[in-house]
Amino acid sequence: MPDLPEVGVPAMRSDAAEPLYLDYAASAPPADEVVEAMLPWLRGQHANPHAEHWHGARAWRAIEDARESVAMLLGGDPEGVIFTSGATEANNLALKGLLGSSRSHIWLSGIEHKSLLEPARSLAEHGVGVTMLGVDVLGRIEASAMRAQLLSPNSAPGLVAIGHGNNEIGTIQDVATLAKVAHEHGHLLHVDASQTAGHWPLSASSDELDLVCLSSHKMYGPAGIGALYIDPILLPQLRPMIQGGGQQHGVRSGTIPPFLAVGFGAAAALAERAALKHRQHLQAMAAAFLAQLDAQGLVYSLLGDPVNRIPGHLSLHIPGVAADEVLARLLPHVSASTGAACASGELRASHALRALGLDESQARQVIRFSFGRSSRLQEAGEAAACLLEAIQRIHALERP
Ligand code: PMP
């Protein structure tokens, strides 16, 4: 990499009040509209939505409006929206709630989020068959390869579970085609849309998806809530994981928190309204960031599908520099991540990067930058400059 020119590249952001936040794939702060919608429900309006009195009924109506907004975003029927604590619970409910006596096999790929892989692993300990689907070099599950793998040993009906947008490498799967393949074999398709909701078109009804899950804090809603969508026709097949007062068709007992549901609903409505605008903005940020790296001749490769990828999501393999060293140098200036945030702190390289075919040392050279709706073009430039400078300093230290 050539030395950075003295002029035109901003120095590290030593005077900034706080680092730039470029980890929206890990969590996105609630939008202003979301906070506004939540406030009355954090104050006097709060009541138990399952209570039979006037205040309870008002809270219930607010929750039902939120359910409708979430259903609209997903192209589904409000009847099938089950509020959960987040996507981890929703993925667990999808797998553990459907697998058992009549469905006894799961297909999923090694690049999936741990909230799919771990329940699959524990179901395998209880006799459920698990088959790992192959992915190509861009992390795509190819329809014909999946078709060949779906012939389960005992051809019992099962469940295929797939992340729509991969949180680590950004690749978006063609879930409409994969749903057709799953259905040809009599299996259901569950799609984890935590990373794509509101940023990439998806419709449970037109894409014929049987189940979809969402995470509110990935789509500018409050943390602590998410949803599992299930085609209402399949509701009787879903066994509860959390039992109690029988709320939400008895499949997810517990009092629904009105302030969280209302915030999630507001985030869904906002996402639905401004999806295209947000997508274009995020893509422009990522393009500006990469253009600056290219202009400075940085050697890197963008992991995942370069076209069908989560808008604003960049997973960069930078050969020759350890990602944790780069992140440490970026720490005062930019908040980014190595692989998945959930996996950070683990000593092992990310399971998803390894499943993509990277060796241990390559997987440790991957940094994820993810832009958000409030990221500005100037910040993309500043972040790229910080990255270039961090790498240059690491190389300079290595020189004898
Ligand atoms: N699935 C994917 C694809 C994710 O990125 C995440 C969050 N890292 C989850 C599931 C878990 O979401 P939550 O934090 O809502 O449990």
Side-chain angles (χ1 to χ4, degrees):
M1 192 182 94
D3 282 353
L4 294 178
E6 294 298 321
V7 192
V9 176
M12 285 271 195
R13 307 174 64 249
S14 52
D15 55 340
E18 56 179 66
L20 289 173
Y21 185 68
L22 293 184
D23 201 16
Y24 287 83
S27 202
D32 290 345
E33 294 90 329
V34 167
V35 176
E36 286 305 315
M38 289 171 73
L39 281 176
W41 297 98
L42 279 161
R43 297 194 174 120
Q45 270 180 218
H46 174 79
N48 188 322
H50 311 287
E52 304 259 321
H53 44 60
W54 186 90
H55 290 90
R58 180 173 62 179
W60 181 250
R61 274 197 305 279
I63 285 174
E64 290 309 290
D65 287 349
R67 206 187 292 280
E68 213 156 288
S69 300
V70 170
M72 280 265 282
L73 178 67
L74 291 175
D77 180 341
E79 170 95 358
V81 174
I82 301 157
F83 288 120
T84 61
S85 60
T88 297
E89 184 191 330
N91 278 332
N92 271 267
L93 178 58
L95 268 58
K96 293 176 180 165
L98 284 173
L99 271 295
S101 48
S102 55
R103 291 188 190 276
S104 54
H105 207 99
I106 304 176
W107 289 261
L108 77 178
S109 81
I111 64 168
E112 300 306 343
H113 192 265
K114 290 246 172 123
S115 57
L116 284 174
L117 288 168
E118 286 302 308
R121 193 182 54 76
S122 86
L123 283 163
E125 285 167 8
H126 293 91
V128 169
V130 177
T131 301
M132 301 311 287
L133 295 169
V135 294
D136 68 12
V137 286
L138 300 182
R140 294 173 303 196
I141 298 169
E142 217 261 305
S144 59
M146 175 165 130
R147 186 175 283 114
Q149 286 193 277
L150 283 193
L151 302 161
S152 81
N154 54 11
S155 64
L159 178 77
V160 182
I162 289 173
H164 188 211
N166 185 274
N167 53 308
E168 296 209 42
I169 58 167
T171 296
I172 290 183
Q173 308 290 350
D174 177 2
V175 287
T177 301
L178 299 180
K180 285 192 180 64
V181 177
H183 294 157
E184 281 167 19
H185 294 264
H187 307 309
L188 300 177
L189 182 71
H190 167 59
V191 174
D192 177 349
S194 308
Q195 289 287 340
T196 49
H199 291 150
W200 202 266
L202 177 94
S203 164
S205 53
S206 12
D207 297 339
E208 296 183 32
L209 314 176
D210 304 293
L211 300 103
V212 182
C213 80
L214 292 183
S215 172
S216 160
H217 73 103
K218 310 273 183 187
M219 44 182 276
Y220 304 84
I225 190 163
L228 176 66
Y229 176 74
I230 181 164
D231 182 337
I233 214 160
L234 297 168
L235 261 172
Q237 295 184 32
L238 191 66
R239 289 186 315 277
M241 260 199 338
I242 296 175
Q243 293 174 297
Q247 292 92 343
Q248 305 201 79
H249 313 286
V251 291
R252 206 289 190 171
S253 285
T255 306
I256 302 173
F259 75 107
L260 291 179
V262 165
F264 185 19
L270 181 64
E272 166 89 3
R273 262 199 324 274
L276 182 63
K277 187 179 99 188
H278 290 149
R279 186 158 78 240
Q280 288 170 341
H281 174 71
L282 294 171
Q283 286 167 335
M285 296 298 111
F289 182 85
L290 291 183
Q292 188 154 331
L293 301 189
D294 292 340
Q296 295 297 320
L298 180 72
V299 176
Y300 69 89
S301 54
L302 176 66
L303 299 182
D305 192 321
V307 180
N308 293 315
R309 65 180 301 112
I310 300 169
H313 182 298
L314 296 172
S315 175
L316 304 181
H317 173 225
I318 307 172
V321 279
D324 53 358
E325 240 180 277
V326 178
L327 272 199
R329 289 198 171 263
L330 285 179
L331 214 56
H333 314 287
V334 178
S335 296
S337 109
T338 52
C342 325
S344 293
E346 274 185 17
L347 285 174
R348 281 175 296 127
S350 140
H351 70 278
L353 297 175
R354 296 301 312 276
L356 195 66
L358 274 69
D359 65 28
E360 182 83 16
S361 101
Q362 289 169 326
R364 287 169 180 272
Q365 297 168 343
V366 175
I367 310 185
R368 181 182 76 179
F369 296 90
S370 46
F371 291 88
R373 290 177 197 162
S374 47
S375 304
R376 287 175 290 121
L377 210 52
Q378 183 205 339
E379 292 174 346
E382 284 176 26
C386 288
L387 175 63
L388 289 161
E389 198 173 326
I391 294 170
Q392 194 185 39
R393 286 192 180 165
I394 292 169
H395 284 320
L397 280 178
E398 284 165 359
R399 276 183 215 132

mmCIF file of all heavy atoms in Angstrom, residues 329-372:
data_model
loop_
_atom_site.group_PDB
_atom_site.id
_atom_site.type_symbol
_atom_site.label_atom_id
_atom_site.label_comp_id
_atom_site.label_asym_id
_atom_site.label_seq_id
_atom_site.Cartn_x
_atom_site.Cartn_y
_atom_site.Cartn_z
ATOM 1 N N ARG A 329 -6.690 -0.122 17.128
ATOM 2 C CA ARG A 329 -6.207 1.202 16.697
ATOM 3 C C ARG A 329 -7.378 2.115 16.326
ATOM 4 O O ARG A 329 -7.304 3.330 16.460
ATOM 5 C CB ARG A 329 -5.278 1.072 15.496
ATOM 6 C CG ARG A 329 -3.976 0.457 15.902
ATOM 7 C CD ARG A 329 -2.864 0.686 14.912
ATOM 8 N NE ARG A 329 -1.631 0.232 15.538
ATOM 9 C CZ ARG A 329 -0.779 1.027 16.148
ATOM 10 N NH1 ARG A 329 -0.982 2.319 16.195
ATOM 11 N NH2 ARG A 329 0.304 0.534 16.712
ATOM 12 N N LEU A 330 -8.449 1.498 15.850
ATOM 13 C CA LEU A 330 -9.627 2.305 15.458
ATOM 14 C C LEU A 330 -10.450 2.735 16.672
ATOM 15 O O LEU A 330 -11.252 3.669 16.578
ATOM 16 C CB LEU A 330 -10.527 1.507 14.520
ATOM 17 C CG LEU A 330 -10.061 1.326 13.081
ATOM 18 C CD1 LEU A 330 -11.071 0.482 12.313
ATOM 19 C CD2 LEU A 330 -9.893 2.680 12.375
ATOM 20 N N LEU A 331 -10.252 2.041 17.779
ATOM 21 C CA LEU A 331 -11.127 2.189 18.950
ATOM 22 C C LEU A 331 -11.508 3.631 19.318
ATOM 23 O O LEU A 331 -12.691 3.928 19.525
ATOM 24 C CB LEU A 331 -10.479 1.486 20.152
ATOM 25 C CG LEU A 331 -11.404 0.823 21.155
ATOM 26 C CD1 LEU A 331 -12.321 -0.190 20.498
ATOM 27 C CD2 LEU A 331 -10.571 0.138 22.244
ATOM 28 N N PRO A 332 -10.554 4.568 19.374
ATOM 29 C CA PRO A 332 -10.963 5.928 19.760
ATOM 30 C C PRO A 332 -11.712 6.666 18.651
ATOM 31 O O PRO A 332 -12.251 7.744 18.888
ATOM 32 C CB PRO A 332 -9.631 6.643 20.028
ATOM 33 C CG PRO A 332 -8.560 5.615 19.894
ATOM 34 C CD PRO A 332 -9.114 4.462 19.151
ATOM 35 N N HIS A 333 -11.699 6.109 17.438
ATOM 36 C CA HIS A 333 -12.216 6.846 16.283
ATOM 37 C C HIS A 333 -13.463 6.220 15.642
ATOM 38 O O HIS A 333 -14.359 6.921 15.195
ATOM 39 C CB HIS A 333 -11.133 6.937 15.201
ATOM 40 C CG HIS A 333 -9.810 7.334 15.757
ATOM 41 N ND1 HIS A 333 -9.549 8.615 16.176
ATOM 42 C CD2 HIS A 333 -8.686 6.626 15.999
ATOM 43 C CE1 HIS A 333 -8.311 8.673 16.649
ATOM 44 N NE2 HIS A 333 -7.771 7.487 16.560
ATOM 45 N N VAL A 334 -13.466 4.889 15.576
ATOM 46 C CA VAL A 334 -14.556 4.206 14.872
ATOM 47 C C VAL A 334 -14.934 2.942 15.645
ATOM 48 O O VAL A 334 -14.055 2.185 16.055
ATOM 49 C CB VAL A 334 -14.112 3.768 13.437
ATOM 50 C CG1 VAL A 334 -15.231 3.021 12.732
ATOM 51 C CG2 VAL A 334 -13.664 4.961 12.607
ATOM 52 N N SER A 335 -16.240 2.729 15.847
ATOM 53 C CA SER A 335 -16.707 1.461 16.427
ATOM 54 C C SER A 335 -17.145 0.545 15.302
ATOM 55 O O SER A 335 -18.151 0.805 14.632
ATOM 56 C CB SER A 335 -17.887 1.709 17.370
ATOM 57 O OG SER A 335 -17.476 2.490 18.471
ATOM 58 N N ALA A 336 -16.348 -0.497 15.070
ATOM 59 C CA ALA A 336 -16.696 -1.501 14.051
ATOM 60 C C ALA A 336 -16.594 -2.860 14.721
ATOM 61 O O ALA A 336 -16.553 -2.933 15.950
ATOM 62 C CB ALA A 336 -15.742 -1.381 12.869
ATOM 63 N N SER A 337 -16.587 -3.932 13.945
ATOM 64 C CA SER A 337 -16.538 -5.232 14.607
ATOM 65 C C SER A 337 -15.742 -6.241 13.799
ATOM 66 O O SER A 337 -15.561 -6.086 12.587
ATOM 67 C CB SER A 337 -17.968 -5.714 14.886
ATOM 68 O OG SER A 337 -18.309 -6.784 14.068
ATOM 69 N N THR A 338 -15.233 -7.244 14.486
ATOM 70 C CA THR A 338 -14.610 -8.363 13.769
ATOM 71 C C THR A 338 -15.674 -9.446 13.712
ATOM 72 O O THR A 338 -16.115 -9.922 14.750
ATOM 73 C CB THR A 338 -13.396 -8.940 14.526
ATOM 74 O OG1 THR A 338 -13.807 -9.228 15.843
ATOM 75 C CG2 THR A 338 -12.235 -7.985 14.546
ATOM 76 N N GLY A 339 -16.092 -9.823 12.537
ATOM 77 C CA GLY A 339 -17.124 -10.852 12.418
ATOM 78 C C GLY A 339 -18.380 -10.425 13.148
ATOM 79 O O GLY A 339 -18.687 -9.243 13.234
ATOM 80 N N ALA A 340 -19.089 -11.379 13.742
ATOM 81 C CA ALA A 340 -20.347 -11.067 14.419
ATOM 82 C C ALA A 340 -20.089 -10.490 15.791
ATOM 83 O O ALA A 340 -19.182 -10.932 16.485
ATOM 84 C CB ALA A 340 -21.173 -12.328 14.566
ATOM 85 N N ALA A 341 -20.872 -9.496 16.192
ATOM 86 C CA ALA A 341 -20.722 -8.916 17.525
ATOM 87 C C ALA A 341 -20.917 -9.994 18.591
ATOM 88 O O ALA A 341 -20.208 -10.017 19.583
ATOM 89 C CB ALA A 341 -21.729 -7.801 17.733
ATOM 90 N N CYS A 342 -21.885 -10.882 18.332
ATOM 91 C CA CYS A 342 -22.183 -11.917 19.320
ATOM 92 C C CYS A 342 -20.970 -12.830 19.515
ATOM 93 O O CYS A 342 -20.835 -13.437 20.553
ATOM 94 C CB CYS A 342 -23.361 -12.778 18.866
ATOM 95 S SG CYS A 342 -24.598 -11.893 17.960
ATOM 96 N N ALA A 343 -20.127 -12.939 18.473
ATOM 97 C CA ALA A 343 -18.987 -13.847 18.571
ATOM 98 C C ALA A 343 -17.738 -13.125 19.060
ATOM 99 O O ALA A 343 -16.741 -13.757 19.348
ATOM 100 C CB ALA A 343 -18.720 -14.486 17.208
ATOM 101 N N SER A 344 -17.788 -11.781 19.133
ATOM 102 C CA SER A 344 -16.609 -11.040 19.560
ATOM 103 C C SER A 344 -16.277 -11.439 20.985
ATOM 104 O O SER A 344 -17.153 -11.712 21.790
ATOM 105 C CB SER A 344 -16.851 -9.537 19.494
ATOM 106 O OG SER A 344 -17.004 -9.161 18.164
ATOM 107 N N GLY A 345 -14.987 -11.430 21.307
ATOM 108 C CA GLY A 345 -14.597 -11.842 22.647
ATOM 109 C C GLY A 345 -14.258 -13.320 22.680
ATOM 110 O O GLY A 345 -13.525 -13.786 23.533
ATOM 111 N N GLU A 346 -14.803 -14.072 21.731
ATOM 112 C CA GLU A 346 -14.437 -15.483 21.647
ATOM 113 C C GLU A 346 -13.046 -15.560 21.049
ATOM 114 O O GLU A 346 -12.699 -14.765 20.184
ATOM 115 C CB GLU A 346 -15.398 -16.227 20.691
ATOM 116 C CG GLU A 346 -16.647 -16.701 21.351
ATOM 117 C CD GLU A 346 -17.501 -17.525 20.387
ATOM 118 O OE1 GLU A 346 -16.971 -17.973 19.363
ATOM 119 O OE2 GLU A 346 -18.682 -17.678 20.680
ATOM 120 N N LEU A 347 -12.297 -16.536 21.494
ATOM 121 C CA LEU A 347 -10.940 -16.634 20.974
ATOM 122 C C LEU A 347 -10.895 -17.276 19.597
ATOM 123 O O LEU A 347 -10.025 -16.997 18.802
ATOM 124 C CB LEU A 347 -10.045 -17.395 21.959
ATOM 125 C CG LEU A 347 -9.663 -16.553 23.189
ATOM 126 C CD1 LEU A 347 -8.908 -17.388 24.207
ATOM 127 C CD2 LEU A 347 -8.818 -15.340 22.777
ATOM 128 N N ARG A 348 -11.870 -18.135 19.326
ATOM 129 C CA ARG A 348 -11.877 -18.815 18.030
ATOM 130 C C ARG A 348 -12.338 -17.861 16.929
ATOM 131 O O ARG A 348 -13.115 -16.943 17.172
ATOM 132 C CB ARG A 348 -12.823 -20.011 18.066
ATOM 133 C CG ARG A 348 -12.209 -21.213 18.751
ATOM 134 C CD ARG A 348 -13.188 -22.345 18.886
ATOM 135 N NE ARG A 348 -14.300 -21.959 19.744
ATOM 136 C CZ ARG A 348 -15.578 -22.068 19.393
ATOM 137 N NH1 ARG A 348 -15.911 -22.531 18.219
ATOM 138 N NH2 ARG A 348 -16.523 -21.707 20.231
ATOM 139 N N ALA A 349 -11.849 -18.106 15.706
ATOM 140 C CA ALA A 349 -12.303 -17.300 14.574
ATOM 141 C C ALA A 349 -13.777 -17.617 14.311
ATOM 142 O O ALA A 349 -14.256 -18.683 14.677
ATOM 143 C CB ALA A 349 -11.468 -17.627 13.352
ATOM 144 N N SER A 350 -14.469 -16.679 13.698
ATOM 145 C CA SER A 350 -15.907 -16.825 13.477
ATOM 146 C C SER A 350 -16.274 -18.114 12.727
ATOM 147 O O SER A 350 -15.659 -18.459 11.719
ATOM 148 C CB SER A 350 -16.373 -15.618 12.674
ATOM 149 O OG SER A 350 -17.302 -16.013 11.703
ATOM 150 N N HIS A 351 -17.286 -18.806 13.247
ATOM 151 C CA HIS A 351 -17.736 -20.052 12.622
ATOM 152 C C HIS A 351 -18.214 -19.818 11.194
ATOM 153 O O HIS A 351 -18.020 -20.643 10.318
ATOM 154 C CB HIS A 351 -18.872 -20.676 13.461
ATOM 155 C CG HIS A 351 -20.147 -19.883 13.396
ATOM 156 N ND1 HIS A 351 -20.377 -18.774 14.181
ATOM 157 C CD2 HIS A 351 -21.245 -20.006 12.601
ATOM 158 C CE1 HIS A 351 -21.568 -18.276 13.886
ATOM 159 N NE2 HIS A 351 -22.106 -18.997 12.924
ATOM 160 N N ALA A 352 -18.844 -18.651 10.961
ATOM 161 C CA ALA A 352 -19.408 -18.393 9.631
ATOM 162 C C ALA A 352 -18.292 -18.184 8.604
ATOM 163 O O ALA A 352 -18.375 -18.664 7.465
ATOM 164 C CB ALA A 352 -20.322 -17.170 9.692
ATOM 165 N N LEU A 353 -17.252 -17.480 9.006
ATOM 166 C CA LEU A 353 -16.146 -17.237 8.076
ATOM 167 C C LEU A 353 -15.431 -18.549 7.765
ATOM 168 O O LEU A 353 -15.022 -18.802 6.631
ATOM 169 C CB LEU A 353 -15.171 -16.208 8.657
ATOM 170 C CG LEU A 353 -15.779 -14.818 8.893
ATOM 171 C CD1 LEU A 353 -14.778 -13.896 9.573
ATOM 172 C CD2 LEU A 353 -16.256 -14.192 7.591
ATOM 173 N N ARG A 354 -15.307 -19.401 8.787
ATOM 174 C CA ARG A 354 -14.678 -20.708 8.563
ATOM 175 C C ARG A 354 -15.552 -21.534 7.619
ATOM 176 O O ARG A 354 -15.053 -22.199 6.729
ATOM 177 C CB ARG A 354 -14.465 -21.461 9.887
ATOM 178 C CG ARG A 354 -13.499 -20.803 10.859
ATOM 179 C CD ARG A 354 -12.098 -20.608 10.289
ATOM 180 N NE ARG A 354 -11.538 -21.776 9.645
ATOM 181 C CZ ARG A 354 -10.911 -22.775 10.256
ATOM 182 N NH1 ARG A 354 -10.737 -22.716 11.542
ATOM 183 N NH2 ARG A 354 -10.453 -23.804 9.582
ATOM 184 N N ALA A 355 -16.888 -21.457 7.814
ATOM 185 C CA ALA A 355 -17.796 -22.230 6.956
ATOM 186 C C ALA A 355 -17.761 -21.732 5.518
ATOM 187 O O ALA A 355 -18.057 -22.458 4.575
ATOM 188 C CB ALA A 355 -19.225 -22.165 7.502
ATOM 189 N N LEU A 356 -17.370 -20.478 5.352
ATOM 190 C CA LEU A 356 -17.263 -19.907 4.001
ATOM 191 C C LEU A 356 -15.983 -20.397 3.318
ATOM 192 O O LEU A 356 -15.798 -20.209 2.125
ATOM 193 C CB LEU A 356 -17.239 -18.375 4.116
ATOM 194 C CG LEU A 356 -17.484 -17.571 2.868
ATOM 195 C CD1 LEU A 356 -18.906 -17.782 2.382
ATOM 196 C CD2 LEU A 356 -17.249 -16.086 3.135
ATOM 197 N N GLY A 357 -15.095 -20.995 4.086
ATOM 198 C CA GLY A 357 -13.879 -21.565 3.502
ATOM 199 C C GLY A 357 -12.611 -20.805 3.865
ATOM 200 O O GLY A 357 -11.534 -21.136 3.387
ATOM 201 N N LEU A 358 -12.727 -19.764 4.696
ATOM 202 C CA LEU A 358 -11.518 -19.036 5.103
ATOM 203 C C LEU A 358 -10.773 -19.884 6.137
ATOM 204 O O LEU A 358 -11.409 -20.542 6.962
ATOM 205 C CB LEU A 358 -11.875 -17.680 5.726
ATOM 206 C CG LEU A 358 -12.056 -16.508 4.757
ATOM 207 C CD1 LEU A 358 -13.303 -16.698 3.919
ATOM 208 C CD2 LEU A 358 -12.154 -15.201 5.541
ATOM 209 N N ASP A 359 -9.420 -19.845 6.082
ATOM 210 C CA ASP A 359 -8.698 -20.573 7.123
ATOM 211 C C ASP A 359 -8.654 -19.685 8.372
ATOM 212 O O ASP A 359 -9.060 -18.517 8.347
ATOM 213 C CB ASP A 359 -7.309 -21.042 6.648
ATOM 214 C CG ASP A 359 -6.351 -19.891 6.350
ATOM 215 O OD1 ASP A 359 -6.502 -18.819 6.969
ATOM 216 O OD2 ASP A 359 -5.459 -20.066 5.505
ATOM 217 N N GLU A 360 -8.153 -20.262 9.469
ATOM 218 C CA GLU A 360 -8.163 -19.582 10.767
ATOM 219 C C GLU A 360 -7.515 -18.188 10.674
ATOM 220 O O GLU A 360 -8.061 -17.198 11.159
ATOM 221 C CB GLU A 360 -7.410 -20.478 11.769
ATOM 222 C CG GLU A 360 -7.359 -19.976 13.181
ATOM 223 C CD GLU A 360 -8.607 -20.314 13.993
ATOM 224 O OE1 GLU A 360 -9.393 -21.185 13.576
ATOM 225 O OE2 GLU A 360 -8.793 -19.666 15.045
ATOM 226 N N SER A 361 -6.367 -18.120 9.976
ATOM 227 C CA SER A 361 -5.670 -16.822 9.975
ATOM 228 C C SER A 361 -6.401 -15.812 9.069
ATOM 229 O O SER A 361 -6.501 -14.636 9.403
ATOM 230 C CB SER A 361 -4.185 -17.004 9.641
ATOM 231 O OG SER A 361 -3.924 -16.681 8.313
ATOM 232 N N GLN A 362 -6.942 -16.281 7.946
ATOM 233 C CA GLN A 362 -7.730 -15.360 7.093
ATOM 234 C C GLN A 362 -8.956 -14.852 7.846
ATOM 235 O O GLN A 362 -9.305 -13.671 7.779
ATOM 236 C CB GLN A 362 -8.186 -16.083 5.818
ATOM 237 C CG GLN A 362 -7.066 -16.376 4.843
ATOM 238 C CD GLN A 362 -7.538 -17.327 3.742
ATOM 239 O OE1 GLN A 362 -8.369 -18.211 3.975
ATOM 240 N NE2 GLN A 362 -7.003 -17.141 2.541
ATOM 241 N N ALA A 363 -9.601 -15.760 8.574
ATOM 242 C CA ALA A 363 -10.828 -15.374 9.290
ATOM 243 C C ALA A 363 -10.540 -14.322 10.357
ATOM 244 O O ALA A 363 -11.418 -13.548 10.734
ATOM 245 C CB ALA A 363 -11.486 -16.603 9.914
ATOM 246 N N ARG A 364 -9.296 -14.284 10.823
ATOM 247 C CA ARG A 364 -8.924 -13.282 11.834
ATOM 248 C C ARG A 364 -8.522 -11.954 11.198
ATOM 249 O O ARG A 364 -8.087 -11.036 11.877
ATOM 250 C CB ARG A 364 -7.763 -13.805 12.681
ATOM 251 C CG ARG A 364 -8.175 -14.889 13.643
ATOM 252 C CD ARG A 364 -6.946 -15.541 14.237
ATOM 253 N NE ARG A 364 -7.311 -16.593 15.157
ATOM 254 C CZ ARG A 364 -7.555 -16.385 16.445
ATOM 255 N NH1 ARG A 364 -7.469 -15.191 16.946
ATOM 256 N NH2 ARG A 364 -7.881 -17.385 17.224
ATOM 257 N N GLN A 365 -8.605 -11.898 9.857
ATOM 258 C CA GLN A 365 -8.236 -10.664 9.161
ATOM 259 C C GLN A 365 -9.479 -9.985 8.566
ATOM 260 O O GLN A 365 -9.379 -9.230 7.601
ATOM 261 C CB GLN A 365 -7.231 -10.984 8.044
ATOM 262 C CG GLN A 365 -5.925 -11.564 8.580
ATOM 263 C CD GLN A 365 -5.044 -12.157 7.500
ATOM 264 O OE1 GLN A 365 -5.494 -12.428 6.393
ATOM 265 N NE2 GLN A 365 -3.778 -12.352 7.817
ATOM 266 N N VAL A 366 -10.624 -10.291 9.141
ATOM 267 C CA VAL A 366 -11.881 -9.755 8.581
ATOM 268 C C VAL A 366 -12.486 -8.715 9.535
ATOM 269 O O VAL A 366 -12.637 -8.972 10.728
ATOM 270 C CB VAL A 366 -12.888 -10.901 8.322
ATOM 271 C CG1 VAL A 366 -14.232 -10.344 7.860
ATOM 272 C CG2 VAL A 366 -12.332 -11.867 7.286
ATOM 273 N N ILE A 367 -12.801 -7.559 8.971
ATOM 274 C CA ILE A 367 -13.443 -6.493 9.763
ATOM 275 C C ILE A 367 -14.786 -6.174 9.129
ATOM 276 O O ILE A 367 -14.913 -6.120 7.899
ATOM 277 C CB ILE A 367 -12.608 -5.197 9.758
ATOM 278 C CG1 ILE A 367 -11.166 -5.509 10.123
ATOM 279 C CG2 ILE A 367 -13.172 -4.171 10.734
ATOM 280 C CD1 ILE A 367 -10.311 -4.291 10.257
ATOM 281 N N ARG A 368 -15.778 -5.938 10.001
ATOM 282 C CA ARG A 368 -17.105 -5.579 9.495
ATOM 283 C C ARG A 368 -17.414 -4.130 9.841
ATOM 284 O O ARG A 368 -17.330 -3.734 11.004
ATOM 285 C CB ARG A 368 -18.154 -6.492 10.127
ATOM 286 C CG ARG A 368 -19.572 -6.209 9.629
ATOM 287 C CD ARG A 368 -20.586 -7.088 10.319
ATOM 288 N NE ARG A 368 -20.854 -6.632 11.679
ATOM 289 C CZ ARG A 368 -21.723 -7.210 12.495
ATOM 290 N NH1 ARG A 368 -22.388 -8.281 12.112
ATOM 291 N NH2 ARG A 368 -21.927 -6.741 13.716
ATOM 292 N N PHE A 369 -17.726 -3.359 8.805
ATOM 293 C CA PHE A 369 -18.232 -1.997 8.990
ATOM 294 C C PHE A 369 -19.678 -2.016 8.530
ATOM 295 O O PHE A 369 -19.974 -2.497 7.435
ATOM 296 C CB PHE A 369 -17.455 -0.991 8.127
ATOM 297 C CG PHE A 369 -16.002 -0.880 8.494
ATOM 298 C CD1 PHE A 369 -15.048 -1.688 7.886
ATOM 299 C CD2 PHE A 369 -15.585 0.030 9.456
ATOM 300 C CE1 PHE A 369 -13.709 -1.596 8.231
ATOM 301 C CE2 PHE A 369 -14.246 0.134 9.812
ATOM 302 C CZ PHE A 369 -13.304 -0.680 9.190
ATOM 303 N N SER A 370 -20.583 -1.488 9.340
ATOM 304 C CA SER A 370 -21.966 -1.446 8.858
ATOM 305 C C SER A 370 -22.532 -0.050 9.117
ATOM 306 O O SER A 370 -22.543 0.437 10.246
ATOM 307 C CB SER A 370 -22.810 -2.539 9.515
ATOM 308 O OG SER A 370 -22.608 -2.605 10.896
ATOM 309 N N PHE A 371 -22.932 0.577 8.011
ATOM 310 C CA PHE A 371 -23.450 1.943 8.065
ATOM 311 C C PHE A 371 -24.928 1.929 8.432
ATOM 312 O O PHE A 371 -25.606 0.917 8.277
ATOM 313 C CB PHE A 371 -23.263 2.622 6.702
ATOM 314 C CG PHE A 371 -21.812 2.873 6.396
ATOM 315 C CD1 PHE A 371 -21.038 1.911 5.767
ATOM 316 C CD2 PHE A 371 -21.211 4.065 6.785
ATOM 317 C CE1 PHE A 371 -19.696 2.121 5.518
ATOM 318 C CE2 PHE A 371 -19.872 4.279 6.544
ATOM 319 C CZ PHE A 371 -19.108 3.306 5.908
ATOM 320 N N GLY A 372 -25.397 3.088 8.917
ATOM 321 C CA GLY A 372 -26.797 3.183 9.315
ATOM 322 C C GLY A 372 -27.466 4.373 8.664
ATOM 323 O O GLY A 372 -26.827 5.166 7.967
#
